[in-house]
Amino acid sequence: MSMPEKRMGITEVLKSVKDNAEGEDVELGEVVEHLEHRGFGPILLAPALVALFPTGAIPGIPSACGILIFLIAIQMAWGKKHPWLPNKLTSIGFSQDKLGKVIDKVCPYTKKVDRWFKPRVKILSEGVVKRFIAVLCALAGLVMIPLELVPFAVMLPAFAIVLAAVGLSTEDGVVITIASIIMVSSFYLLWVNYVQ
C-alpha cells in the first residue's frame, strides 16, 4: 500500500530544497529528484520559485525553468507518476550560496502566505480538473520562454504556477482558481507583447 502524498506549503518546499543542496552549485535535476516522491505539486513549485525569485534574473534560467515546468506538467496531465526529464535540462545549475540566501530572506514572508492555504473545493485538485490545470501550467511554462525577454514579465506566469502548485499540494481549489485566472492573464501578456 503506497503512502499518501504529504501536503507541502511554499516554506516547507524551500527549506527542503536548501537543506538538501550540496556543493557550490545546485542543479535543477537535484531539486526535482529530491521532491519527486512528494508528488507533482512540489515538483512544479520548485522551478517556478527559481524563476520567480532573484535567481530568475540569471539569463537563461527562466527559459530553462519554463521548459522544465512544461515537461513536468504535461506528464502530470498524462497521468504519469514520475516525470522524465532530459539530462541537458536537469544539469543546469545556479549558486547554492545565493539560493540559500534568497530562501532565508523570503521564508519569513512565505510562512505568512502558507497560512492562506487549506483544503477547499477539493474537486478542483482531483481527476480531470487536475489534469486540465496541469495543461494550463504546461502552457504557462512555455509562455515563460518568450516573456524572459520582457523585463519582469516572466514573474506573472511563474507566480501563477507557484499558486497552482501549492493549490494542488494543499488541495486548495480556491487558490487553484486564482492561479488559473493569472495564467490566462499571462497568455494575454504574451499576446500583447508578441502578437499585436
Side-chain angles (χ1 to χ4, degrees), residues 76-155:
M76 176 181 168
W78 283 340
K80 294 194 76 173
K81 297 296 182 184
H82 304 285
W84 170 88
L85 300 168
N87 290 333
K88 281 189 177 181
L89 197 59
T90 56
S91 63
I92 294 173
F94 39 89
S95 169
Q96 187 265 354
D97 182 57
K98 287 182 180 178
L99 179 66
K101 288 178 180 177
V102 169
I103 290 174
D104 288 339
K105 284 182 180 179
V106 302
C107 273
Y109 302 101
T110 59
K111 284 179 182 177
K112 295 177 182 178
V113 172
D114 279 336
R115 295 175 191 160
W116 302 344
F117 303 109
K118 57 186 177 181
R120 294 176 286 191
V121 199
K122 292 171 67 172
I123 192 172
L124 296 178
S125 63
E126 301 169 349
V128 176
V129 180
K130 179 179 179 179
R131 293 191 180 196
F132 175 73
I133 299 302
V135 171
L136 280 183
C137 288
L139 293 174
L142 288 181
V143 164
M144 288 170 63
I145 300 169
L147 287 184
E148 181 177 352
L149 301 176
V150 181
F152 306 110
V154 78
M155 295 179 72

